[in-house]
Amino acid sequence: MSLLEKSPTPGRVLLDDTLPLTALIEASQNLQSHTEYIIRVQRGVSSDNSWQVIRRYSDFDILNSSLMVCGISLPLPPKKLIGNMDREFIAERQRGLQAYLDSITQHPLICTSLFVKKFLDPNNYSANYTEIALQQVSMFFRSDPKWEVLEPLKDMGWRIRKKYFLIKNKEQPKERFLLSWVDLGPDKFLSDKDLQSALKLLSNPSTAYLSPLLFSSTSESSALLIRPFSERGSLRDQICKVKPRESHLKKYCNPKKSQGLELEQIKLFGRQILESLKLLHDSGLFFGHLNASNVMVDDGICRLVDVENGMLGVPSVLRPAFTQLRKINTTESIDVFCFGHLLYEMTYGRPPDSVPVDQFPSAPHAAVVSVLQSILSTDACKSGMPTVPALIQTPLFGDVKLKHSEKLQIKVPSRLKEALKSAKGSLEKRLHEEQRMLHQHRRLTRAQSHYGSEEEKKRRKILARKKSRQSTCENEEDVSVRNNNNSGRSRPHTPLPSPQHLLKRSSQKYTSLLPE
């Protein structure tokens, strides 16, 4: 079913919102009453993908006010009313604003905020996504009047091009459901027909570990989805002990009460999640979006949500992390890497600051650290990820007894299985190309850094002096040889005459003078 195709839809967006933005203040210019800062912004590692934006201090101040919901003290330089046009003050403020930009672009959650994206890239983030979503949703409700919107859930997730609404079915007035509208992403490689067929597979999954889609509709640029709503929120909400309906920046940037799970919960939830990943992999479906926000827990059962994200082509929130690691180059290895991230969060109450991780805090059991090391350590990231079946057989998860022990399967038609295989290959190809570019950029950066280091400069000076001395010696030798050669050519060598020869010549000369 594709109700959205009846309405005009915005042009498909191919932009990958997870590509990091970096910002460098290149210069400043004084106008009549204020100073403007010229910022060079770059997306990803290619300098060709860069542009300039001009911002005043007041623009920074507005941005900072919008980000105060994070509960984090960001290093914005203070205001100054007198002397704010002095050259020294402007130089100092520019350094402070650069430090501020670095702090927000390097924070894993803040950098994904629409406030930051609009500030640095207004051309690509000027659309009103809430208004677009409302138009799409209202057209859906006009075609299917049994549904009713109760309230919009603003900024509940990090994804800029995805909006949520709490709705109800008039035939089931006490039940609550979650409606989401999302733009298709750059990794959408299934045809529209195959995408709709794949979404139908998730409407009635034959397993307790996947949250079913109650309704789905797609257009050439977006999708509308309805699934059950959990009042307890996601696994991340429960770990952070926050209210599910609040802004994700407020919930997750600086949680005050977050706490890891008990060992038995880690074992049970981890095993259930691994079983769901095995089911997807065996069926030829690809996920790539496993994280604590995409896991719902009710009555001791974990259920994955947003399993359709991979097929919709939207990039994973952990893409900036696994793109750095060239051994993570298949959808299966991505899921295992994401599982390691999730296991770390279940254990310690927060995700790892960065990966690889080689120093792990004390854990409820040594078996937990062993699994984490097999996924997140430097050796693991260099040699490759373990498989899902291998993780199921580890001491941590191997002895877990599951209540739902029926054989798990999703019946995928052979034609759709081929389409999924092709789409998966295209997704992996884009990842490989991005990893290759990043690897080349790293090598170039290391070479430039080495070439500009003080030690390398000193080495090059010593080498230059040696070459100069050697060149001088060689030049002197060449001059000496040339002089000798030139001297030999102007005065050719002839042997001296013998005494007998001289006497003979003298006698001949004297005889010639006598009269005949």
Side-chain angles (χ1 to χ4, degrees):
M1 189 173 185
S2 184
L3 297 173
L4 295 182
E5 290 181 346
K6 300 177 182 179
S7 63
T9 56
R12 183 180 173 195
V13 176
L14 298 177
L15 193 64
D16 186 343
D17 294 324
T18 65
L19 278 175
L21 298 180
T22 54
L24 176 66
I25 303 178
E26 293 183 316
S28 61
Q29 57 188 16
N30 291 337
L31 301 184
Q32 292 181 352
S33 59
H34 65 273
T35 302
E36 291 182 338
Y37 298 92
I38 303 171
I39 307 171
R40 171 67 59 179
V41 184
Q42 181 173 310
R43 176 176 287 107
V45 298
S46 175
S47 58
D48 295 334
N49 194 2
S50 66
W51 59 93
Q52 281 185 341
V53 292
I54 297 177
R55 293 286 182 254
R56 300 170 55 173
Y57 176 83
S58 58
D59 298 323
F60 281 88
D61 191 45
I62 293 171
L63 171 64
N64 193 61
S65 298
S66 302
L67 296 176
M68 288 181 68
V69 67
C70 300
I72 298 175
S73 179
L74 297 171
L76 181 69
K79 293 181 180 179
K80 183 177 181 182
L81 300 178
I82 300 175
N84 59 2
M85 302 292 284
D86 295 341
R87 181 178 300 178
E88 292 183 2
F89 171 76
I90 292 173
E92 181 182 354
R93 170 165 282 181
Q94 181 171 322
R95 289 191 292 269
L97 292 177
Q98 183 63 60
Y100 179 79
L101 287 175
D102 293 341
S103 68
I104 63 175
T105 55
Q106 293 170 11
H107 191 282
L109 272 181
I110 295 177
C111 71
T112 65
S113 164
L114 181 58
F115 303 122
V116 175
K117 300 287 190 183
K118 273 187 175 181
F119 183 84
L120 296 176
D121 189 6
N123 290 337
N124 282 308
Y125 294 94
S126 58
N128 188 330
Y129 301 107
T130 301
E131 185 64 29
I132 295 172
L134 284 172
Q135 292 175 4
Q136 301 289 313
V137 170
S138 56
M139 293 200 70
F140 161 69
F141 284 124
R142 283 201 295 269
S143 64
D144 195 346
K146 71 180 181 182
W147 297 100
E148 178 183 338
V149 173
L150 298 177
E151 64 174 298
L153 302 173
K154 296 182 179 180
D155 301 323
M156 191 176 75
W158 70 272
R159 204 175 292 282
I160 292 172
R161 306 173 200 276
K162 189 171 188 177
K163 300 300 175 183
Y164 298 91
F165 302 86
L166 188 66
I167 65 173
K168 72 175 183 179
N169 188 329
K170 294 177 182 179
E171 299 172 1
Q172 302 169 282
K174 293 185 178 181
E175 294 291 327
R176 297 293 179 263
F177 302 91
L178 183 68
L179 182 148
S180 58
W181 170 90
V182 60
D183 252 350
L184 303 181
D187 286 324
K188 189 262 185 182
F189 296 110
L190 287 172
S191 68
D192 294 343
K193 181 179 179 181
D194 289 332
L195 176 58
Q196 292 172 25
S197 299
L199 292 177
K200 286 181 181 179
L201 295 176
L202 301 177
S203 298
N204 296 296
S206 57
T207 171
Y209 304 134
L210 299 180
S211 179
L213 280 174
L214 304 179
F215 176 87
S216 63
S217 176
T218 62
S219 74
E220 62 182 15
S221 63
S222 61
L224 187 148
L225 312 151
I226 298 177
R227 57 173 31 97
F229 177 73
S230 173
E231 292 289 347
R232 295 190 64 193
S234 67
L235 177 58
R236 178 163 291 160
D237 292 329
Q238 296 180 33
I239 290 174
C240 295
K241 296 179 172 55
V242 294
K243 297 178 180 179
R245 303 187 192 186
E246 290 183 338
S247 158
H248 77 286
L249 289 178
K250 182 177 182 180
K251 290 190 295 185
Y252 305 139
C253 268
N254 191 25
K256 305 294 185 182
K257 301 178 181 179
S258 61
Q259 186 176 359
L261 306 179
E262 298 293 332
L263 178 60
E264 290 306 310
Q265 289 180 308
I266 294 173
K267 291 167 65 72
L268 177 61
F269 294 170
R271 176 63 184 271
Q272 291 174 348
I273 292 168
L274 288 171
E275 291 290 343
S276 62
L277 291 179
K278 184 176 185 300
L279 169 66
L280 294 174
H281 295 174
D282 291 346
S283 304
L285 300 173
F286 48 90
F287 186 23
H289 292 258
L290 177 62
N291 63 77
S293 293
N294 285 344
V295 178
M296 299 295 166
V297 181
D298 286 306
D299 297 326
I301 298 176
C302 280
R303 293 182 174 88
L304 299 190
V305 299
D306 288 352
V307 174
E308 70 281 355
N309 275 357
M311 293 175 285
L312 295 176
V314 294
S316 168
V317 67
L318 290 179
R319 185 180 178 87
F322 60 71
T323 303
Q324 307 276 337
L325 308 168
R326 301 188 77 182
K327 285 294 184 179
I328 302 177
N329 50 25
T330 65
T331 55
E332 291 83 4
S333 61
I334 290 172
D335 283 336
V336 172
F337 175 80
C338 293
F339 177 77
H341 230 264
L342 173 58
L343 181 61
Y344 188 103
E345 188 170 352
M346 288 195 296
T347 304
Y348 301 113
R350 56 181 177 80
D353 295 328
S354 62
V355 178
V357 182
D358 290 316
Q359 297 294 328
F360 294 90
S362 59
H365 196 277
V368 179
V369 174
S370 177
V371 174
L372 288 173
Q373 288 174 332
S374 72
I375 301 173
L376 300 180
S377 68
T378 299
D379 289 342
C381 292
K382 286 183 178 180
S383 60
M385 298 289 101
T387 64
V388 169
L391 289 172
I392 291 176
Q393 296 301 319
T394 58
L396 182 62
F397 303 116
D399 61 350
V400 175
K401 303 298 182 182
L402 299 175
K403 294 181 180 179
H404 301 272
S405 57
E406 73 276 9
K407 186 177 181 180
L408 306 179
Q409 62 178 344
I410 299 176
K411 294 182 180 180
V412 182
S414 57
R415 190 191 66 82
L416 180 57
K417 187 170 288 189
E418 287 300 316
L420 288 167
K421 182 179 179 181
S422 176
K424 172 188 167 186
S426 297
L427 186 153
E428 292 173 349
K429 183 179 179 181
R430 187 174 91 87
L431 174 61
H432 296 170
E433 179 61 22
E434 191 172 328
Q435 289 176 328
R436 183 187 66 80
M437 291 178 60
L438 183 59
H439 180 67
Q440 289 180 344
H441 173 73
R442 280 177 173 171
R443 291 182 62 183
L444 179 60
T445 302
R446 284 196 298 266
Q448 291 173 339
S449 176
H450 175 69
Y451 192 79
S453 66
E454 291 300 322
E455 181 179 351
E456 177 62 15
K457 288 179 181 178
K458 184 178 179 181
R459 190 189 70 81
R460 290 201 304 272
K461 286 181 180 179
I462 295 173
L463 183 60
R465 286 196 294 266
K466 287 182 178 179
K467 286 185 176 181
S468 177
R469 288 195 297 268
Q470 183 178 357
S471 177
T472 300
C473 293
E474 290 175 352
N475 289 337
E476 290 176 352
E477 290 177 1
D478 290 343
V479 169
S480 177
V481 170
R482 285 198 299 269
N483 289 339
N484 290 336
N485 290 338
N486 291 336
S487 175
R489 283 194 297 269
S490 60
R491 296 180 181 178
H493 174 72
T494 57
L496 292 174
S498 64
Q500 294 81 359
H501 182 70
L502 289 175
L503 180 61
K504 182 179 180 181
R505 285 180 58 191
S506 177
S507 174
Q508 289 174 348
K509 183 177 179 182
Y510 176 78
T511 304
S512 66
L513 293 177
L514 292 175
E516 294 181 357

